[in-house]
Amino acid sequence: KTFEIHFNYSLMNAVMKIIKEHDLNNYDHQFELSCSLKLDIRIDQVQKVLDQYKLIKGCKIDPVIPGGA
């Protein structure tokens, strides 16, 4: 499943640590003061990864709807 994550630049290390820990494919990066990127998460990892990102205050993660705007 594909998700888009939004976070402040100051959270970059915490966000990237989870990506590296789960070997997630990430793309469509925008690294500025306010950052975003898209992640592909395997179905069997979704809940664990979402739970980890929910622990990071100021980090928002939403599913990407295919064909959506």
Side-chain angles (χ1 to χ4, degrees):
K1 293 186 92 164
T2 302
F3 291 83
E4 186 165 19
I5 185 166
H6 299 272
F7 56 96
N8 288 329
Y9 187 81
S10 62
L11 300 173
M12 178 75 72
N13 285 341
V15 168
M16 297 308 281
K17 181 180 178 184
I18 295 170
I19 290 172
K20 195 171 199 177
E21 177 182 335
H22 295 282
D23 194 27
L24 303 175
N25 180 36
N26 64 93
Y27 55 96
D28 202 9
H29 310 110
Q30 292 183 348
F31 296 140
E32 298 171 12
L33 288 178
S34 180
C35 304
S36 69
L37 57 86
K38 290 184 180 169
L39 300 171
D40 289 330
I41 306 174
R42 290 194 339 244
I43 298 281
D44 62 329
Q45 292 182 304
V46 168
Q47 195 58 55
K48 184 174 184 174
V49 171
L50 292 181
D51 289 345
Q52 285 184 279
Y53 279 121
K54 287 177 186 175
L55 294 174
I56 302 173
K57 187 175 181 176
C59 183
K60 182 180 178 210
I61 186 165
D62 297 305
V64 173
I65 300 168

